[in-house]
Amino acid sequence: MAYRHSAARIDRDQELRERILESALLLVVEGGFAALTMTTLAERVGIATGSLYRHFRGKGELAAEVFARASQREVDAMAAALNLPGSEPARMAGALQQFAARAWQSRRLAFALIAEPVDPEVDERRLEFREAYAAHLSTVIEQGVQSGTFRTSSVAVSAACLVGAISEALVGPLSPQARAAREAGQPTQQLADVSAALVSFCLRALAAEESSL
Amino acid sequence: MAYRHSAARIDRDQELRERILESALLLVVEGGFAALTMTTLAERVGIATGSLYRHFRGKGELAAEVFARASQREVDAMAAALNLPGSEPARMAGALQQFAARAWQSRRLAFALIAEPVDPEVDERRLEFREAYAAHLSTVIEQGVQSGTFRTSSVAVSAACLVGAISEALVGPLSPQARAAREAGQPTQQLADVSAALVSFCLRALAAEESSL
């Protein structure tokens, strides 16, 4: 019975860990990493703060795990869009539009993932995930170079430039400053405009005429 | 005499603060923000750690100040290059080449400024300085749009994309991983290649043919 007991305990631990991570993600969706504190999270989950520390050594480790899970969903979504049927420019455009639209749907989370100032553990993961995005983009750039729709002297540099362009184009419109302006009724950038300008910039950079869509 | 005494004291305090910041910058040049600890810095300056805390509340505040000073130099250098005589594409290309060359000359510092995982206080300043770069780039993009050498549906989005592309193109080649590869004698990206690919990407993105240089 000792074995069964401990297996059941591992299951319960695993289930609680999942609940903690889901609640943590919701806090970040609502208020960014700034809203993710060990005390608030313990209250949300309905456990003692001490129990939380049995699962995560601290805010940095927890934030890094939430970041990695949420980012993996975005990487997967981009990879899926890049792999749809169509020409390379069309697939690239579709993937960028989808990325921008998903960010717009959950702006606080998107800003938190891309640029919110937070523990260095999250910065570490940001560097890793930027490489993951770059790898998927590289594949499509290479395919485009082979089919003659894209042109570049360095697939690696172009892929890195795309990753930077995509995230930086969204940082401003997703920022707390933009949210404050919107809430004050001031004019702010619209998704359609930012998305269209981003797609133009990236396709031209890859030497694909937009008419080739 | 009391006034003179305190004025002299303020001067000495100011001078010591300068010495601390210069030593701190040298530590970052040598080993990134990871090498900047209050203990190491106090030893370098030849003061007690307690005295250091009289000038800076902690590592985060100190790192943010070192970051801001070093970044301001880069922003100023880019602004100067963008304001040289010449066509907009030529000035843009020159500024990007100079930025890459300066980063290559001091790789650890450049990686520290662009992407090293570090205290959130530095992340905050990174967001501010990215806006400073974008403002200078916007001016030249607008001039190019007026002279007909550049074309974009959104100057703001294009400027943000450029800032992202420039920093992301350099993150990989400047990273600790690239340094380790270089030190192990493995082939790594060369400045000339990265710089040329970055310039091509950005000028094409702005719809300027490279032949227009």
Side-chain angles (χ1 to χ4, degrees):
Chain A
M1 288 298 286
Y3 170 74
R4 285 204 192 177
H5 177 77
S6 68
R9 171 153 199 166
I10 289 168
D11 283 351
R12 278 204 310 275
D13 267 12
Q14 191 57 37
E15 191 224 10
L16 178 56
R17 197 170 191 279
E18 283 300 315
R19 275 211 293 139
I20 292 170
L21 283 167
E22 278 165 31
S23 296
L25 177 60
L26 280 179
L27 284 174
V28 178
V29 166
E30 292 164 17
F33 284 118
L36 179 63
T37 69
M38 297 298 261
T39 320
T40 317
L41 180 58
E43 272 175 32
R44 272 286 180 103
V45 181
I47 58 176
T49 312
S51 309
L52 201 48
Y53 280 98
R54 279 220 316 276
H55 289 268
F56 298 95
R57 266 172 307 186
K59 157 86 190 280
E61 183 182 314
L62 176 68
E65 177 87 23
V66 171
F67 172 87
R69 289 186 163 212
S71 295
Q72 190 60 52
R73 282 190 212 165
E74 298 309 314
V75 169
D76 292 345
M78 179 175 280
L82 288 172
N83 286 322
L84 287 176
S87 71
E88 292 82 13
R91 287 187 279 142
M92 183 68 79
L96 301 189
Q97 282 156 356
Q98 176 188 269
F99 187 86
R102 288 175 63 93
W104 229 265
Q105 263 170 16
S106 190
R107 297 183 203 205
R108 277 192 195 246
L109 176 63
F111 183 77
L113 298 181
I114 297 174
E116 185 181 344
V118 63
D119 311 71
E121 288 96 324
V122 173
D123 281 342
E124 292 278 3
R125 307 305 298 265
R126 279 191 180 127
L127 289 172
E128 291 170 24
F129 273 92
R130 279 158 173 265
E131 285 181 27
Y133 285 114
H136 289 297
L137 293 166
S138 287
T139 304
V140 178
I141 297 172
E142 264 167 20
Q143 292 167 349
V145 168
Q146 276 164 24
S147 72
T149 51
F150 289 155
R151 160 170 82 109
T152 175
S153 61
S154 165
V155 171
V157 171
S158 286
C161 286
L162 286 180
V163 171
I166 295 165
S167 51
E168 200 65 22
L170 294 172
V171 165
L174 297 173
S175 68
Q177 290 81 353
R179 189 174 58 244
R182 202 165 50 247
E183 286 168 1
Q186 290 161 18
T188 53
Q189 290 179 293
Q190 301 297 308
L191 167 62
D193 299 335
V194 173
S195 186
L198 173 64
V199 169
S200 286
F201 183 95
C202 293
L203 290 188
R204 286 181 190 164
L206 294 168
E209 279 302 314
E210 282 167 275
S211 56
S212 70
L213 296 186
Chain B
M1 288 300 284
Y3 170 73
R4 285 204 192 175
H5 176 76
S6 67
R9 171 153 198 168
I10 289 168
D11 283 352
R12 279 204 310 277
D13 266 13
Q14 191 56 36
E15 191 223 11
L16 177 56
R17 196 170 191 281
E18 283 301 315
R19 274 211 292 137
I20 292 170
L21 284 167
E22 277 165 32
S23 296
L25 177 60
L26 280 179
L27 284 174
V28 178
V29 167
E30 291 165 17
F33 284 116
L36 178 62
T37 69
M38 297 299 263
T39 321
T40 317
L41 180 57
E43 271 175 33
R44 273 287 181 102
V45 181
I47 58 176
T49 311
S51 310
L52 200 49
Y53 280 99
R54 278 219 317 277
H55 289 270
F56 298 95
R57 266 172 305 187
K59 158 87 191 280
E61 183 181 316
L62 176 68
E65 177 88 22
V66 171
F67 171 87
R69 287 185 165 213
S71 295
Q72 190 60 53
R73 282 190 212 163
E74 297 311 313
V75 168
D76 292 345
M78 178 174 281
L82 288 172
N83 285 321
L84 288 176
S87 71
E88 291 82 14
R91 286 187 279 143
M92 184 68 79
L96 301 189
Q97 283 156 357
Q98 177 188 268
F99 187 86
R102 288 175 63 93
W104 229 265
Q105 262 171 16
S106 189
R107 297 184 204 205
R108 276 192 195 247
L109 176 62
F111 182 77
L113 297 182
I114 297 174
E116 185 181 343
V118 62
D119 310 71
E121 287 95 324
V122 173
D123 281 342
E124 291 277 3
R125 307 305 299 263
R126 278 188 181 131
L127 289 173
E128 291 169 24
F129 273 91
R130 280 157 173 264
E131 285 182 26
Y133 285 114
H136 289 298
L137 293 166
S138 287
T139 304
V140 178
I141 297 171
E142 265 167 20
Q143 292 167 349
V145 169
Q146 276 164 25
S147 74
T149 50
F150 289 156
R151 162 170 78 110
T152 173
S153 62
S154 165
V155 172
V157 172
S158 286
C161 286
L162 285 180
V163 171
I166 295 165
S167 51
E168 200 66 22
L170 295 171
V171 165
L174 297 173
S175 69
Q177 290 80 351
R179 188 173 62 245
R182 202 165 50 246
E183 285 168 3
Q186 289 160 17
T188 53
Q189 290 179 291
Q190 301 297 308
L191 167 62
D193 298 334
V194 173
S195 187
L198 172 63
V199 169
S200 287
F201 183 95
C202 293
L203 290 188
R204 285 182 191 163
L206 294 168
E209 280 302 315
E210 281 167 275
S211 56
S212 70
L213 295 185

